[in-house]
């Protein structure tokens, strides 16, 4: 008989009803996905990265399907944290979400400024709006103008330069700050150690891999911004490895896993590797209901495995369990990922035709 699994999760000191969230940059700035499902059903909603001032992003084209996922060169377009607080926070509060605010900057001063403005915006927001924000995620995979354009997340010094000013500016809010790290480094454990040493309450692992696609006829980049970030199925194994290595190095750290999650099985794999929670990203471009579907599949998988609580799996606890044997995995992840590749290629074609992302829902259904 299947077991009813308690899905309650914790990321550091933050309690969530379940471990599934959206990923920054893939679910809009506010409650856009609320047209497809009840956003309060998720553990949390992570909004698109915000800067202190409005930012226009990169020139088109911005999205490109590749063999195992998608390249994006959106360039962190956003209307700024002040506009977000006025225009999008109220809808998130009305939807009764738990909101994680992602922020970014191009200098240490930028991180301080976006933190200051967020603090001020929350101070004048209603109690309901203020209480919906539960954490801040620092997107530090951004070029540092003060360090020859090198990414903040590519060195321990860069991590400290971004997190220090941001955390100081946010001190009055009492919000935990999560550090979202890049996989484009030789030793992610060292970078994670710098983030935790600098006071990060959690690690979000990982951001996109850097990639490039060229038109062989011209030799020119196919994306308007040149290179782009690779996400989707191709990123999943990279994310699992990063989570696994950081969990071994930092047994007590809070970790959020993200990368190529398109099924409950994919989510379970990241949790087994050591994540306390997961985020669903690229799959949402294809199926706006993907985060909720992943949650439902994860719940079913845990039940089929006889888990009384998600805590028996999350944080890498699967490796330490003993006792009764578990059933064979029920979701073939490789086949699921192949389906996602087909969907991504279709969705990008539709988006190029000028239709809104939120209107795109493919007909194939989901694997599993």
């Amino acid at each position: 008989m299947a077991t009813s699994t308690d899905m309650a999760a914790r990321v550091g000191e933050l309690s969530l009803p379940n471990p599934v969230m959206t990923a920054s940059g893939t679910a809009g700035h506010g409650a856009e996905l609320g047209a497809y499902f009840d956003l309060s059903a998720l553990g949390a909603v992570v909004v698109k990265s915000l800067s202190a001032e409005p930012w226009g992003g990169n020139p088109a084209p911005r999205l490109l399907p590749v063999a195992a996922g998608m390249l994006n060169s959106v360039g962190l377009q956003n209307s700024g944290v002040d506009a977000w607080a006025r225009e999008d926070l109220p809808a998130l509060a009305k939807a009764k979400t738990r909101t994680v605010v992602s922020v970014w900057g191009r200098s240490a001063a930028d991180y301080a400024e976006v933190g200051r403005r967020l603090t001020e915006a929350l101070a004048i927001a209603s109690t309901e709006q203020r209480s919906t924000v539960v954490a801040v995620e620092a997107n530090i995979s951004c070029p540092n103008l003060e360090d020859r354009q090198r990414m903040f997340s590519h060195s321990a010094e860069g991590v400290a330069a971004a997190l220090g000013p941001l955390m100081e500016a946010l001190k009055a809010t009492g919000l935990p700050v999560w550090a979202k790290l890049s996989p484009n480094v030789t030793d992610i454990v060292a970078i994670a150690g710098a983030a935790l040493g600098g006071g990060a309450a959690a690690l979000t692992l990982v951001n996109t891999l850097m990639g490039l696609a060229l038109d062989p006829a011209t030799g020119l980049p196919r994306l308007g911004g040149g290179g782009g970030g690779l996400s989707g199925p191709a990123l999943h194994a990279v994310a699992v490895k990063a989570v696994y290595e950081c969990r071994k190095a930092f047994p007590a750290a809070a970790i959020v896993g993200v990368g190529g999650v398109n099924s409950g099985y994919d989510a379970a794999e990241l949790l087994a590797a050591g994540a306390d929670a997961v985020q669903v990203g690229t799959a949402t471009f294809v199926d706006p209901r993907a985060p909720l579907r992943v949650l439902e599949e994860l719940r079913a998988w845990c039940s089929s495995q006889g888990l009384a609580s998600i805590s028996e799996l999350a944080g890498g606890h699967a490796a330490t369990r003993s006792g009764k044997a578990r059933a064979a995995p029920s979701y073939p992840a490789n086949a699921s990922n192949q389906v996602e590749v087909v969907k991504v290629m279709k969705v990008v074609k539709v988006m190029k035709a000028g239709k809104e992302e939120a209107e795109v829902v493919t007909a194939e259904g989901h694997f599993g």
Side-chain angles (χ1 to χ4, degrees):
M1 180 180 295
T3 301
S4 178
T5 305
D6 179 1
M7 299 297 285
R10 292 184 67 86
V11 179
E13 297 299 315
L14 177 62
S15 296
L16 301 172
N18 63 71
V20 177
M21 316 177 201
T22 61
S24 177
T26 64
H29 285 107
E32 291 93 330
L33 291 182
Y36 298 95
F37 63 91
D38 178 6
L39 293 178
S40 69
L42 297 180
V45 172
V46 187
V47 303
K48 195 174 187 303
S49 295
L50 302 167
S51 51
E53 298 286 349
W55 185 255
N58 290 332
R62 293 177 167 188
L63 298 176
L64 182 73
V66 293
M70 182 176 73
L71 280 175
N72 95 81
S73 180
V74 175
L76 297 166
Q77 177 184 349
N78 74 100
S79 58
V81 69
D82 296 332
W84 173 82
R86 291 193 308 270
E87 300 167 10
D88 296 303
L89 179 58
L92 288 163
K94 184 177 181 180
K96 300 188 183 307
T97 67
R98 287 153 294 279
T99 300
V100 178
V101 182
S102 176
V103 299
W104 71 280
R106 297 186 299 157
S107 67
D110 282 353
Y111 281 99
E113 181 64 9
V114 72
R116 183 186 70 80
R117 292 194 181 197
L118 179 58
T119 299
E120 291 182 350
L122 293 178
I124 62 175
S126 69
T127 300
E128 181 187 34
Q129 292 172 14
R130 190 163 53 248
S131 63
T132 200
V133 178
V134 297
V136 174
E137 185 176 82
N139 179 358
I140 53 178
S141 296
C142 307
N144 183 356
L145 296 182
E146 299 167 336
D147 188 20
R148 297 178 295 168
Q149 296 282 352
R150 291 193 298 182
M151 298 286 184
F152 285 96
S153 58
H154 287 185
S155 70
E157 295 78 14
V159 169
L163 289 183
L166 175 63
M167 295 180 65
E168 180 63 28
L170 290 169
K171 188 179 294 184
T173 68
L175 292 171
V177 175
W178 303 351
K180 187 171 186 178
L181 303 184
S182 166
N184 301 291
V185 294
T186 56
D187 186 358
I188 197 166
V189 170
I191 304 299
L196 294 170
L203 305 170
T204 301
L205 306 170
V206 290
N207 213 319
T208 56
L209 281 167
M210 293 187 293
L212 176 67
L214 298 175
D215 180 345
T218 64
L220 298 175
R222 297 180 65 186
L223 290 172
L230 177 64
S231 62
L235 187 61
H236 186 67
V238 176
V240 171
K241 185 174 186 291
V243 169
Y244 185 79
E245 291 184 344
C246 287
R247 174 56 66 206
K248 285 199 301 182
F250 309 108
I255 298 176
V256 178
V258 54
V261 176
N262 186 49
S263 69
Y265 184 92
D266 296 334
E269 186 177 13
L270 276 171
L271 294 171
D276 299 294
V278 300
Q279 295 177 354
V280 180
T282 299
T284 307
F285 279 88
V286 179
D287 174 11
R289 301 177 181 86
L292 184 63
R293 172 175 56 78
V294 168
L295 172 59
E296 293 170 346
E297 291 181 359
L298 177 61
R299 191 193 314 273
W301 187 89
C302 290
S303 178
S304 73
Q305 299 295 298
L307 301 183
S309 170
I310 193 70
S311 63
E312 295 180 46
L313 176 67
H317 291 159
T320 61
R321 289 200 311 264
S322 60
K324 60 182 179 179
R326 303 293 170 181
S330 54
Y331 299 125
N334 59 338
S336 175
N337 288 340
Q338 289 168 9
V339 171
E340 182 178 348
V341 173
V342 173
K343 289 181 177 180
V344 168
M345 293 179 73
K346 288 188 176 183
V347 73
V348 173
K349 288 179 181 178
V350 174
M351 290 169 67
K352 283 182 177 179
K355 295 184 179 180
E356 292 295 326
E357 294 174 12
E359 295 177 353
V360 179
V361 183
T362 57
E364 291 100 323
H366 62 85
F367 195 92

